[in-house]
Amino acid sequence: MSRNTIVSCTIYGAVVLLLATAPFFLNMYWVDVLNSVGLYAMLGLSLNWIVGHAGLFNLGHAAFYAVGAYTAAILNTQFQIPILWLLPVCALAAGLFALVIAKPIIKLRGDYLCIVTIGVGEIVRIALVNDVFGITGGSNGIFGISRPRLPFFGAIRKPMQFYYLIWVFVAITVFLFHRLERSRFGRALNYLREDEVAAEGSGINTAHYKLAAFVLGAAWAGMVGNIFAAKMTIIAPESFSYWESVLMFALVILGGSGSIPGVLLGSFVIIGLPEAFRSFQNARMLIFGAAMVVMMIFRHQGIIPAKQRSYSLDEILPETGDAATAPLEQKPVEELPAAKAKTAEEML
């Protein structure tokens, strides 16, 4: 085990221990703040797949968050389906909505895609306010959403109980996204983020991978919407405004685009830090804004930027037999096997 691995494991272990024991040393207000941090951490990680990995500027992520929350609220209040049973349904609803929206616009780039996603977010919010099909409750929202229930624990009602539920989901999100980052899909997005033209020229179907990343991020945001609805027991359109999308985008960029630790730290900075300055009500947003300006000047890649992936020679030129173990530089050029032309997707 390398020294860097030992240091990383020690840091992660200390953070997990701190989070696990935090509710015993904090009052209920700060526990609830950490609940919000956890929700935004999951939202940030879902947006990170779209912005940080696929390189798509999405400022309408709150729309998919809203689709998941309203799907859970409607099905729970109308048909009394347990709220946690609806997690896959909410993810599916948000993912399908993202697929329909993204299919015609996925080839747009930069500012053009950003403007379209802002419009999508506002269309969803206005549709909810106008009580589409008479099921969204209009500007009043939906009341009476049931609390989640777990076997042997019963209904989850207290902030401390929600704290552990939310952060368990954060841990699951981090684990799954880390594994996905190391997969063939994650490597393809890494090529796409570094140089889209080169990736497309190497045989990667860029539109396919962009669409897949967009749908994945939206589906996970829909699932977080389910947890948010269960926690609040009431949802309204103002909970899914353009400002929510801006917060998600800011924490990804400030923490470190494409970096899981960076997004987690960005969630604490964007959501938790302003609460620490609540006593300076008139100046706290000024302090927060100035800190962001300083960060963008001196640390524009984020607090914890994503590490560049490195690949061994064996991954790029796989060989068989004893020749595979011999150093490449010791082989005469004429003895090297003829390389078969491979696309980037074949090498993944």
Side-chain angles (χ1 to χ4, degrees), residues 23 28 31-32 35 147-148 153-166 230-231 233:
M28 288 300 102
V31 170
D32 199 50
N35 289 342
R147 297 286 190 180
F153 291 96
I156 297 177
R157 300 180 182 278
K158 297 179 180 179
M160 184 178 291
Q161 294 173 324
F162 270 105
Y163 175 86
Y164 287 108
L165 176 69
I166 289 170
K231 176 180 179 295
T233 70

Side-chain angles (χ1 to χ4, degrees), residues 7-344:
V7 172
S8 298
C9 291
T10 302
I11 293 174
Y12 281 121
V15 171
V16 169
L17 180 62
L18 180 63
L19 289 174
T21 57
F24 298 102
F25 304 101
L26 300 174
N27 58 36
M28 288 300 102
Y29 171 76
W30 282 107
V31 170
D32 199 50
V33 169
L34 289 178
N35 289 342
S36 298
V37 171
L39 288 173
Y40 277 94
M42 287 188 282
L43 289 169
L45 289 170
S46 67
L47 182 60
N48 190 41
W49 273 104
I50 301 173
V51 176
H53 290 282
L56 303 173
F57 285 177
N58 177 12
L59 272 172
H61 204 57
F64 311 117
Y65 182 36
V67 169
Y70 270 86
T71 299
I74 292 168
L75 294 178
N76 177 258
T77 56
Q78 298 293 327
F79 303 102
Q80 286 72 51
I81 302 174
I83 195 76
L84 291 183
W85 290 15
L86 294 170
L87 281 170
V89 178
C90 295
L92 181 62
L96 289 175
F97 178 69
L99 180 63
V100 172
I101 293 298
K103 189 74 172 176
I105 67 171
I106 201 64
K107 292 187 178 181
L108 296 176
R109 298 184 182 182
D111 299 341
Y112 301 102
L113 181 63
C114 184
I115 292 170
V116 171
T117 56
I118 291 173
V120 170
E122 284 301 290
I123 288 171
V124 170
R125 185 187 65 81
I126 293 171
L128 295 175
V129 170
N130 289 328
D131 197 9
V132 177
F133 305 121
I135 58 175
T136 66
S139 57
N140 292 325
I142 298 177
F143 299 80
I145 304 168
S146 65
R147 297 286 190 180
R149 302 183 67 88
L150 293 176
F152 310 110
F153 291 96
I156 297 177
R157 300 180 182 278
K158 297 179 180 179
M160 184 178 291
Q161 294 173 324
F162 270 105
Y163 175 86
Y164 287 108
L165 176 69
I166 289 170
W167 282 96
V168 164
F169 274 103
V170 173
I172 294 171
T173 303
V174 169
F175 174 76
L176 292 178
F177 282 5
H178 175 74
R179 297 298 300 170
L180 194 59
E181 217 175 52
R182 301 287 176 176
S183 69
R184 172 177 176 167
F185 178 70
R187 293 196 298 270
L189 289 181
N190 187 48
Y191 298 156
L192 182 63
R193 179 186 62 197
E194 296 302 325
D195 194 324
E196 182 178 345
V197 175
E200 189 168 9
S202 300
I204 290 180
N205 188 339
T206 56
H208 168 78
Y209 279 103
K210 281 183 178 181
L211 185 61
F214 201 94
V215 171
L216 173 64
W220 208 263
M223 187 198 71
V224 180
N226 176 295
I227 301 173
F228 173 77
K231 176 180 179 295
M232 301 304 295
T233 70
I234 173 177
I235 57 173
E238 58 263 25
S239 299
F240 311 101
S241 64
Y242 171 66
W243 176 244
E244 299 300 314
S245 296
V246 171
L247 285 179
M248 298 174 207
F249 191 86
L251 68 88
V252 171
I253 300 300
L254 186 65
S257 180
S259 168
I260 291 177
V263 172
L264 295 176
L265 183 58
S267 303
F268 280 95
V269 172
I270 296 292
I271 305 303
L273 191 60
E275 296 300 324
F277 292 100
R278 184 167 287 276
S279 56
F280 305 98
Q281 186 171 0
N282 295 329
R284 65 179 184 136
M285 293 310 296
L286 177 63
I287 296 171
F288 180 64
M292 289 193 67
V293 170
V294 171
M295 276 296 305
M296 290 300 100
I297 294 174
F298 297 102
R299 190 78 174 178
H300 61 271
Q301 70 272 33
I303 302 174
I304 307 178
K307 293 182 179 179
Q308 294 294 325
R309 291 289 301 274
S310 59
Y311 301 95
S312 66
L313 191 60
D314 292 337
E315 291 179 291
I316 300 174
L317 296 174
E319 300 181 36
T320 57
D322 296 336
T325 60
L328 183 62
E329 59 272 11
Q330 295 179 2
K331 300 178 185 178
V333 175
E334 61 272 14
E335 294 181 8
L336 288 174
K340 178 184 175 183
K342 291 186 176 183
T343 66

